[in-house]
Amino acid sequence: MMDALRAADGRRLAALAAMRERWRALPKPMRFAVVVALVALLYGLPNLNIPLIRTPDTDFTSVLFLVAIYVLVAVGLNVVIGLAGLLDLGYIGFYAVGAYTVAIFASPSSVVATKLPWLACIPLAIGIAMLSGVILGWPTLRLRGDYLAIVTLGFGEIVRLIAVNWDVPNGQRGISGIPGPPGTWADGSPLFGLIDVRPFYWLALTVVIVCMLAVGRLEHSRVGRSWLAIREDEDAAEVMGVNTFKFKLWAFAIGAALGGLSGALFASKQAFINSDSFDLLTSILFVAAVVLGGSGNMAGVTVGAILISYLPERFRGFADYRLLVFGIALVAIMVFRPQGLIPSRRRAVELKDKREEAVVV
């Protein structure tokens, strides 16, 4: 059984490698055309009636929006876990900070009732989430491994308990009437309404593409190379002149900013949030998306986020077994593919070297 599974995984890897080689062999204009066609397909998905991917038990466009939010979260968390090698189990805290920032400062039902415009709340949410990341990271980033994971897990729980017990977030009664982005259709109806979710999906997809391009550029910059050096060997990186604390703090802040942005978009679409929206299970699912897809590879974490968010909605009849299936899938991934479904080439080589060293010892 194990041999058969390993053989199947080997054939899958060979197919992926062949596809990668064919992609590289294509001329640049053709690759650009393929990417443009793919992006056009993603924007057109809500209007295409493709039977195999539709979700019969729930609104398909709402599922697409949820998938886009999970992909954005995975891209942000990949900066922290995949590139800088910092295990963050409390990422839901930054997501909640972004969501509550929009709710508290923009909703007329909030006790603060500043009624700031949505366009002002988004940069505010990003800024406060980033500041939260700096405040959390400044005293804790000297910790490593499991210790850092426990601290971040505590941060996520602290944010949730504040949401439960403080009067401003209003606990489980929550905050309603959260406004969406401005704009109207030709007939004067709101562009971002509760009935037609397509504009929210298109907005989220646009944000995801922009953030992917930005993080991709960052990954290949001096900052990205410093993150990879820290992930490989923090002590060696420090000896080579990398300011490890500064770059780890940058990773935390950028990851927190993307988490806050995704939370702000989520709250704007939902128009209502309460403390139940930001539980520990959701935070674990965020980490699972990164680990399942392939930590350190943007394509991999994107696939992981799509699987984690889409499959439970596609197969709602098995919703009660979702945690069981996720548990089995994660154990199987750790046994057969510890580097994830689509790992970065660097990460795959590292794990191969470690396995060979273990055999020699």
Side-chain angles (χ1 to χ4, degrees):
M1 179 69 179
M2 298 285 283
D3 292 338
L5 290 174
R6 291 186 191 282
D9 187 50
R11 289 193 293 273
R12 185 185 65 85
L13 286 179
L16 281 176
M19 289 175 60
R20 196 176 292 132
E21 289 301 322
R22 287 177 193 161
W23 174 254
R24 287 180 188 152
L26 290 175
K28 278 189 177 179
M30 188 172 291
R31 279 190 280 176
F32 180 75
V34 171
V35 172
V36 170
L38 177 61
V39 171
L41 174 65
L42 292 176
Y43 275 99
L45 273 180
N47 297 324
L48 299 176
N49 190 16
I50 304 175
L52 290 178
I53 65 171
R54 304 291 293 191
T55 50
D57 298 324
T58 184
D59 179 54
F60 181 59
T61 310
S62 296
V63 174
L64 289 176
F65 174 81
L66 180 67
V67 170
I69 292 297
Y70 265 70
V71 171
L72 184 57
V73 166
V75 170
L77 194 54
N78 186 50
V79 172
V80 182
I81 296 179
L83 299 182
L86 307 170
L87 184 54
D88 185 352
L89 297 181
Y91 198 71
I92 191 71
F94 305 120
Y95 184 75
V97 167
Y100 273 112
T101 301
V102 174
I104 290 172
F105 290 104
S107 171
S109 65
S110 164
V111 296
V112 176
T114 54
K115 297 182 184 177
L116 290 179
W118 185 85
L119 290 175
C121 288
I122 293 301
L124 188 62
I126 295 172
I128 293 179
M130 182 179 276
L131 182 62
S132 303
V134 172
I135 292 174
L136 173 65
W138 192 273
T140 60
L141 282 179
R142 291 177 176 83
L143 301 174
R144 297 184 184 182
D146 299 341
Y147 301 103
L148 179 61
I150 293 171
V151 171
T152 54
L153 183 65
F155 169 73
E157 275 299 284
I158 288 171
V159 172
R160 188 185 67 81
L161 291 174
I162 290 175
V164 170
N165 295 302
W166 193 24
D167 291 337
V168 175
N170 211 17
Q172 292 188 336
R173 285 174 293 177
I175 301 175
S176 60
I178 302 170
T184 58
W185 293 104
D187 60 359
S189 60
L191 180 60
F192 293 89
L194 295 176
I195 297 175
D196 187 0
V197 187
R198 289 178 302 167
F200 275 110
Y201 166 65
W202 291 327
L203 174 65
L205 181 59
T206 304
V207 172
V208 167
I209 293 171
V210 171
C211 290
M212 278 185 161
L213 291 174
V215 172
R217 295 283 296 174
L218 203 58
E219 184 179 347
H220 295 94
S221 69
R222 177 171 170 265
V223 175
R225 290 192 293 273
S226 300
W227 286 339
L228 294 180
I230 293 170
R231 186 191 70 187
E232 304 306 319
D233 191 326
E234 186 172 341
D235 293 329
E238 193 150 13
V239 169
M240 295 303 292
V242 176
N243 187 335
T244 57
F245 179 76
K246 183 181 81 171
F247 286 109
K248 286 197 297 183
L249 197 60
W250 265 115
F252 235 66
I254 293 171
L258 292 177
L261 175 59
S262 54
L265 292 175
F266 169 77
S268 302
K269 185 262 178 183
Q270 294 295 109
F272 169 80
I273 57 170
N274 64 3
S275 56
D276 292 341
S277 308
F278 311 100
D279 57 356
L280 176 62
L281 175 61
T282 308
S283 192
I284 299 300
L285 289 179
F286 290 163
V287 177
V290 174
V291 174
L292 180 68
S295 175
N297 185 5
M298 198 179 300
V301 300
T302 301
V303 171
I306 292 172
L307 293 176
I308 289 287
S309 55
Y310 171 74
L311 290 182
E313 301 297 334
R314 177 65 180 83
F315 302 102
R316 278 236 164 186
F318 299 94
D320 293 340
Y321 303 99
R322 180 168 59 178
L323 295 181
L324 175 63
V325 172
F326 281 161
I328 294 173
L330 286 177
V331 170
I333 287 292
M334 287 301 100
V335 172
F336 296 105
R337 299 285 300 164
Q339 64 271 47
L341 293 174
I342 308 177
S344 66
R345 282 175 293 171
R346 183 191 298 269
R347 187 68 178 152
V349 170
E350 289 168 11
L351 290 172
K352 183 180 177 183
D353 290 345
K354 287 180 180 177
R355 282 197 300 270
E356 291 174 353
E357 289 174 5
V359 171
V360 171
V361 172

